Amino acid sequence: MPDPESYRIRGGAKRMIDVSILENPKVDAAFAFHVWPEFEYGIIGLKDGILTATSDIFRVNITGKGGHVAKPKSTNNPVLAVCDAIMQIKLIENSEPHILDIVDVDVKADAKNIIPTSGIFWGSIRTLSLETRDLLEGEILKILEDTKERYKVEYEIDFIHLDYLPVINDLNNTKHCENSASKVAIVRRLINPYFIGEDFGWFSSSGIPSTLMLLGCSPIDRIGNNELHTDNMIVDERTLQLGIDIMTDVALSYNLETNINITSGTKYEITDEAMQNTPSNTCNNSQAGDLELQEYMDIDY
């Protein structure tokens, strides 16, 4: 089993902050894109406040007393303890939105007539605040203490915080991004956060007004069948230029107080089908009814 320390990933944003990327010169704001295959090319997802979650894991090792299956009373069966602990963890209730699930179980005996000595399971915790994460970890510890007493076993647990903090979009910055993106794309205002992990959250946690935009990238025929971080994800490559041009507008208009006049080039359409297939995690876009967008090629400053 890998050393839990090998899972303690420090995202790129944290490493940048550790080497003083926010100082000299001082950073006033941070903006970023994440490609988003749920949306068709030409759609930008924006949300005020919390956009993404923490992403953490835990490993539990339960040790009992193994032996021959013909003499179960002489053993403290860790298989039963592991199963019961998993079921109790799945029953944890918390009023705050979260995801708590078991992702891997490893309980192996040397032979089919042997009760093993130990068993290991892994879980994932995703929350929208560090406070909720702490509460859930406390509940897990209570369950393991109860399991220890009930089955006469011992346990070890590693809570592995992967250094992905919630992305909290700044209200003013997000409006600024909407102004830039809506010149050339359909802006979708999101209602609910996503339980993905994203290290960009370190910038907002450092006190930097930040906004992460979701850059729709799917070809129209892939909507609903194009998943992030899978081997079958397909990107409409026009997304690259669209993202560059929107971010150019965001940066120049923010830092230089300059409005970019985007000269129209080739026209394309966001189809009615794409609008209907857009996930329900959206409300009215800032250009409702205007399905014709302009794919721009020339920028005048």
Side-chain angles (χ1 to χ4, degrees), residues 33 35-36 39-45 177 180-187 213-218 235-250 260 262 266 268 270 287 293-297 299:
F33 276 123
V35 291
W36 208 247
F39 298 156
E40 181 189 351
Y41 158 64
I43 294 178
I44 307 298
C177 291
S180 292
S182 62
K183 297 176 183 179
V184 291
I186 289 179
V187 174
M213 297 173 276
L214 303 183
L215 181 62
C217 63
S218 282
V235 174
D236 187 322
E237 293 188 3
R238 294 176 298 172
T239 303
L240 300 175
Q241 186 63 53
L242 180 64
I244 290 170
D245 290 338
I246 291 176
M247 192 61 79
T248 300
D249 193 313
V250 168
I260 297 178
I262 300 177
T266 306
Y268 65 94
I270 299 297
Q287 294 182 330
L293 303 180
Q294 293 179 332
E295 182 180 6
Y296 44 98
M297 300 167 61
I299 299 179

Side-chain angles (χ1 to χ4, degrees), residues 141-213:
L141 286 173
K142 291 178 183 178
I143 288 170
L144 292 176
E145 281 294 319
D146 181 65
T147 301
K148 174 182 176 179
E149 295 300 319
R150 184 179 305 174
Y151 293 94
K152 308 304 179 186
V153 296
E154 299 295 330
Y155 73 87
E156 296 177 350
I157 184 167
D158 290 294
F159 290 112
I160 304 165
H161 298 159
L162 300 181
D163 274 351
Y164 292 106
L165 302 180
V167 171
I168 304 176
N169 283 344
D170 177 79
L171 179 65
N172 293 329
N173 276 12
T174 302
K175 181 61 179 176
H176 180 78
C177 291
E178 181 176 17
N179 291 339
S180 292
S182 62
K183 297 176 183 179
V184 291
I186 289 179
V187 174
R188 286 285 181 177
R189 277 290 190 166
L190 305 177
I191 300 171
N192 299 315
Y194 290 94
F195 281 89
I196 64 168
E198 171 54 54
D199 63 308
F200 187 75
W202 276 99
F203 292 116
S204 55
S205 71
S206 298
I208 304 299
S210 310
T211 291
L212 178 66
M213 297 173 276

